Amino acid sequence: MRFISTRGRAPSLSFTDTVLTGLATDGGLYVPESLPEFSAEEIRAMAGLDYRELAFRIIQPFVGDDLSDDELRDILERSYRHFRHSAVAPLVQTDTNEWILELFHGPTLAFKDFALQFLGQLFDHLLKKRGERVVVMGATSGDTGSAAIEGCRHCDNIDIFILHPHNRVSEVQRRQMTGVLSDNVFNIALDGSFDDCQNMVKASFADQSFLPDGRRLVAVNSINWARIMAQIVYYFYAAVNLGAPDKMVNFSVPTGNFGDIFAGYLARQMGLPIDQLVIATNANDILHRCISDNDHSPRPLVHSLSPSMDIMVSSNFERLLFDLYDRDGAAVAELLADRSAPMQLDDRVLAKAREVFYSYRVDDQRTVETIRRVFEESEYLLDPHTAIGVEAARKVRKSTEQPMVCLSTAHPAKFPDAVARALPTREIPLPAHMQDLFQREERMKVLPNDLAGVQRFMAEALG
Ligand SMILES: *Cc1c(COP(=O)(O)O)cnc(C)c1O
């Protein structure tokens, strides 16, 4: 399969080249030229499959001839081997036809492991085949960094540099990154904000001349198509376990960069009968305002109890726009180029989005109340991101006759502050494999907010 840019002016790429790049040269994001579609009969046959086998069926059409069936199966086997629940993505019921899809059983306790364990294995395989060694560089406000490091730490052909804002990630999040002492892992604590980190990564991708000869940068954030692709799988997995294709299923997704929920949209395009996709936001509600009022004006960033959703510009929204504008790259480029005024969607486009997308905003206080209420109702403990999804689902779902699946994006132990506010007397222990997290030796480099200095550090480490 070939992959094309959302802005229509970059060359099309193979699956392998798409995975091993960053943005397209025209500034767009790569998407498949066409989507595979599954018939009702094919979807019915997915019920009861092991997670890895289901992943194989969903992902294989995108990969085409770039990997043999055995190679892909082997990569998937390695990707989900370190999940601590044999169902990989188990469903738990919390109310009448309300289900929690637990996506936090991977090594770093957040759903990002689904894509980044896979991406690490995929990189390693493709790079060995090519005999190439690359440099992964990424910025994180918390969860992406640790999941990327866990995904790449055992990869022979990767050196990974993760920038995080010094003293501005939680201790659990920091230790999950800095406690990995592998020779190919470099944590940079930048004296600056998350945006400063991200700007440095962007500038480094744009001009890679600071790298030693023969090395190049590869992206691990959700602009990388392989991350979105890996996330399509659990929508199918949950839906067939709840009666699809003979029943409609709905999903509520705590949303930041729009990667996770966009995977749900793709699952629907590929034939899964989804009625409602709920965009659940915290106080940083630009996507909610966009869907409800066509208001795409930026507002100052608020630091919330759900930090992984504290995002102003959702990069993957561009992939949706490309689809809504009938895959017209020039139209998308024009829409995004005019920075003089906030983006305005055509009425026709907005109406199309509203056929499937619903949205709701949940502030910190309601988040805490939801954690408490759900615990009182069912003794189920939600993390703050998941709580936002549950509350939004309860507010916008049309009926309880169809299943509503709330994606649980993190384990509550990862965000103890929010949980302590809801249930002050309750301890939430870290899972067994992380019990020693606070005793682990840490390694990181604190650097000033200076691009040349960061690049010099990287060049020396690679030299
Ligand atoms: C990354 C993240 C999100 C947001 O996912 P997007 O794909 O960026 O929309 C939600 N919850 C948690 C816990 C996360 O780590």
Side-chain angles (χ1 to χ4, degrees):
M1 185 177 286
R2 303 294 295 177
F3 292 79
I4 56 175
S5 164
T6 50
R7 300 203 190 171
R9 298 186 60 182
S12 77
L13 297 180
S14 68
F15 173 77
T16 302
D17 287 330
T18 302
V19 171
L20 293 176
T21 189
L23 285 176
T25 49
D26 58 2
L29 281 73
Y30 276 102
V31 290
E33 204 169 42
S34 63
L35 282 177
E37 278 182 48
F38 295 99
S39 67
E41 201 168 326
E42 286 169 310
I43 295 172
R44 211 168 283 123
M46 292 174 187
L49 288 183
D50 170 79
Y51 189 88
R52 286 147 272 238
E53 180 55 28
L54 179 61
F56 176 82
R57 294 197 190 180
I58 304 292
I59 290 174
Q60 202 286 325
F62 293 107
V63 173
D65 297 331
D66 280 25
L67 295 170
S68 73
D69 288 0
D70 284 348
E71 287 173 319
L72 179 57
R73 283 205 165 87
D74 184 53
I75 288 169
L76 288 166
E77 174 54 38
R78 291 167 188 277
S79 303
Y80 299 107
R81 182 187 284 175
H82 299 295
F83 279 61
R84 293 172 330 283
H85 194 299
S86 49
V88 184
L91 281 164
V92 175
Q93 187 167 11
T94 42
D95 203 342
T96 307
N97 239 340
E98 179 186 272
W99 304 82
I100 305 288
L101 182 63
E102 292 187 339
L103 301 175
F104 53 69
H105 294 285
T108 72
L109 312 183
F111 84 97
K112 293 191 170 68
D113 290 325
F114 275 83
L116 284 162
Q117 286 287 304
F118 173 70
L119 192 61
Q121 296 297 336
L122 188 61
F123 279 160
D124 208 33
H125 185 92
L126 296 174
L127 291 168
K128 273 184 186 144
K129 233 158 107 170
R130 285 194 174 192
E132 191 183 346
R133 209 178 150 87
V134 300
V135 179
V136 165
M137 184 182 187
T140 188
S141 55
D143 290 343
T144 305
S146 57
I149 287 170
E150 280 298 332
C152 294
R153 65 189 291 184
H154 299 299
C155 299
D156 298 329
N157 294 25
I158 289 177
D159 292 289
I160 176 167
F161 294 82
I162 296 293
L163 283 70
H164 72 265
H166 190 32
N167 292 328
R168 294 198 200 169
V169 299
S170 78
E171 185 172 4
V172 173
Q173 288 177 325
R174 188 193 71 235
R175 284 182 172 276
Q176 282 186 317
M177 297 190 281
T178 59
V180 177
L181 304 180
S182 314
D183 289 342
N184 63 337
V185 173
F186 302 90
N187 279 289
I188 298 174
L190 194 76
D191 266 323
S193 65
F194 170 64
D195 280 338
D196 294 328
C197 296
Q198 192 137 41
N199 288 337
M200 274 194 195
V201 172
K202 275 192 191 143
S204 302
F205 269 84
D207 179 1
Q208 305 190 11
S209 56
F210 68 99
L211 292 171
D213 276 352
R215 305 298 292 274
R216 65 188 170 112
L217 295 180
V218 163
V220 284
N221 56 4
S222 58
I223 67 167
N224 193 313
W225 164 256
R227 280 190 58 182
I228 307 292
M229 179 181 74
Q231 292 170 188
I232 299 171
V233 176
Y234 48 69
Y235 285 90
F236 276 90
Y237 188 65
V240 296
N241 278 306
L242 293 171
D246 302 304
K247 238 194 238 165
M248 283 280 209
V249 179
N250 307 287
F251 291 90
S252 180
V253 187
T255 296
N257 237 330
F258 206 76
D260 205 6
I261 195 161
F262 184 65
Y265 173 82
L266 293 177
R268 185 173 183 265
Q269 303 295 91
M270 290 163 69
L272 198 64
I274 297 176
D275 186 22
Q276 292 185 283
L277 279 173
V278 182
I279 301 170
T281 78
N282 63 22
N284 300 297
D285 62 350
I286 188 163
L287 289 170
H288 168 59
R289 285 185 283 118
C290 181
I291 295 294
S292 54
D293 296 326
N294 203 3
D295 170 9
H296 221 266
S297 54
R299 302 235 177 107
L301 192 78
V302 178
H303 290 280
S304 76
L305 287 174
S306 41
S308 302
M309 294 157 67
D310 291 345
I311 285 172
M312 275 314 307
V313 182
S314 302
S315 47
N316 280 293
F317 200 62
E318 177 165 344
R319 286 186 160 120
L320 176 68
L321 290 175
F322 182 65
D323 230 51
L324 295 176
Y325 279 85
D326 302 320
R327 303 176 74 84
D328 176 353
V332 172
E334 193 184 326
L335 187 72
L336 298 173
D338 181 10
R339 294 277 173 216
S340 60
M343 184 172 78
Q344 280 276 304
L345 302 184
D346 293 354
D347 288 345
R348 181 190 62 87
V349 162
L350 195 60
K352 229 160 104 183
R354 285 176 179 161
E355 283 170 17
V356 56
F357 288 107
Y358 295 73
S359 69
Y360 198 76
R361 171 191 55 235
V362 179
D363 64 15
D364 275 355
Q365 192 189 335
R366 287 276 286 291
T367 304
V368 169
E369 284 166 11
T370 304
I371 295 173
R372 188 183 305 128
R373 181 158 18 90
V374 170
F375 189 76
E376 284 166 359
E377 289 166 0
S378 57
E379 292 214 5
Y380 191 83
L381 193 56
L382 300 169
D383 103 289
H385 304 81
T386 309
I388 288 173
V390 170
E391 177 66 3
R394 290 179 175 186
K395 285 292 185 284
V396 310
R397 72 186 294 188
K398 291 186 210 158
S399 86
T400 54
E401 274 162 40
Q402 296 172 357
M404 172 61 81
V405 181
C406 303
L407 269 53
S408 180
T409 50
H411 189 289
K414 203 163 181 180
F415 298 97
D417 295 349
V419 179
R421 273 177 57 176
L423 302 160
T425 58
R426 217 186 139 73
E427 292 270 327
I428 354 141
L430 285 165
H433 78 289
M434 280 174 56
Q435 287 287 314
D436 66 336
L437 185 68
F438 290 88
Q439 280 81 53
R440 287 182 201 162
E441 186 188 336
E442 291 188 79
R443 192 166 70 200
M444 66 180 190
K445 182 78 176 171
V446 182
L447 288 175
N449 188 0
D450 166 50
L451 179 64
V454 168
Q455 294 186 338
R456 208 175 315 118
F457 170 77
M458 290 177 64
E460 277 166 21
L462 295 165

